[in-house]
Amino acid sequence: MSTEIIVVTGAYGRQRVAAAGGQQALLPVIEQSGASGVEIRRELFSAPELSQLPALSAAIKQHGLTAYYSVPEPLFTTAGTINPNLPVFFAEAGTLNARLLKFSAGYPAGNLPAEQLAEQLAASPVPVTVENDQTDGGTLAAMREFFSRFGRVQAIAGMTFDTGNWYWTGESPHQACRELSACVSYIHLKAVRKDKHGFRAVPPDPDDEHWQTLLTALPANVPRGIEFPLTGDDLVAVTRQYVDLFRRA
């Protein structure tokens, strides 16, 4: 069975997504690239688009793609309580018929019992995954603590391992691979470059062994997401280049 490659709509850039008419307009590009699925980003929706999720779900199915849903919200608030908006996001993910629903961990959960989180997540029609983001909530220590405390919660399908975000938290992605590989259920692939403005995501060089080494240290049978800028006049060709590259790797 070939590796599933997922294209994150945000890889095309907020302006290009908006100019195209929204995330649904990019589905033909993703289908023609040979990708397995699409990661829909909640932050790229306009208010009217949020009310048209059934149409988007039907279009994703029509194009033969699997849906992943990314919500730019933490599971835990600054007070260490469970995000009160989770039911809204569960309903949206269910409407999209998503395979995974992705959050960040957010803030420390204090003394919150795992049973309480399990009770809340049981309402989700979609398995939940937690990503190492670029904040203090995405550090290696925070991820280690999260999966130590909550990794056995049935609704949590594991970790979205972003290969590049470790640079924003000042940590080694190789060390993170060694410690967290067993938790990983989805991989976000990106290379990172530092310039005078700080770190930024860039396309991986096909000949660069760094990202290939990371992949060999992570589970080989989990989906791989393209989450770096995809630019050019021929978006199908550009996207297909990386779909093929990551499927072979």
Side-chain angles (χ1 to χ4, degrees), residues 60-186:
I60 292 170
K61 182 178 180 180
Q62 180 183 355
H63 287 285
L65 299 170
T66 300
Y68 287 53
Y69 191 39
S70 174
V71 173
E73 292 262 355
L75 278 182
F76 303 122
T77 69
T78 54
T81 58
I82 297 171
N83 189 325
N85 295 318
L86 290 186
V88 173
F89 307 137
F90 294 163
E92 293 169 354
T95 299
L96 287 172
N97 195 30
R99 178 176 294 180
L100 282 178
L101 169 58
K102 182 176 71 66
F103 296 101
S104 63
Y107 302 90
N111 296 319
L112 183 85
E115 292 78 12
Q116 186 175 342
L117 180 62
E119 181 180 354
Q120 293 286 320
L121 296 186
S124 175
V126 177
V128 169
T129 178
V130 175
E131 181 181 28
N132 60 296
D133 64 6
Q134 299 172 8
T135 72
D136 289 345
T139 63
L140 180 52
M143 290 290 97
R144 189 190 305 120
E145 179 182 4
F146 178 88
F147 284 100
S148 174
R149 291 181 59 186
F150 304 113
R152 293 183 178 84
V153 171
Q154 186 174 358
I156 295 177
M159 175 184 179
T160 294
F161 188 102
D162 189 295
T163 60
N165 283 350
W166 304 107
Y167 291 96
W168 275 266
T169 59
E171 297 174 297
S172 164
H174 295 284
Q175 181 64 28
C177 284
R178 286 191 288 270
E179 294 199 33
L180 297 170
S181 178
C183 302
V184 174
S185 59
Y186 181 32

Side-chain angles (χ1 to χ4, degrees), residues 168-235:
W168 275 266
T169 59
E171 297 174 297
S172 164
H174 295 284
Q175 181 64 28
C177 284
R178 286 191 288 270
E179 294 199 33
L180 297 170
S181 178
C183 302
V184 174
S185 59
Y186 181 32
I187 301 168
H188 268 183
L189 281 163
K190 65 163 68 90
V192 175
R193 184 175 298 160
K194 188 175 184 180
D195 57 27
K196 63 181 180 180
H197 302 293
F199 293 111
R200 61 188 178 92
V202 296
D205 184 331
D207 297 322
D208 184 358
E209 294 182 356
H210 174 73
W211 65 267
Q212 298 178 52
T213 302
L214 291 178
L215 276 185
T216 61
L218 294 169
N221 60 342
V222 303
R224 299 168 176 178
I226 294 174
E227 200 203 19
F228 49 81
L230 294 171
T231 60
D233 294 331
D234 189 341
L235 287 182

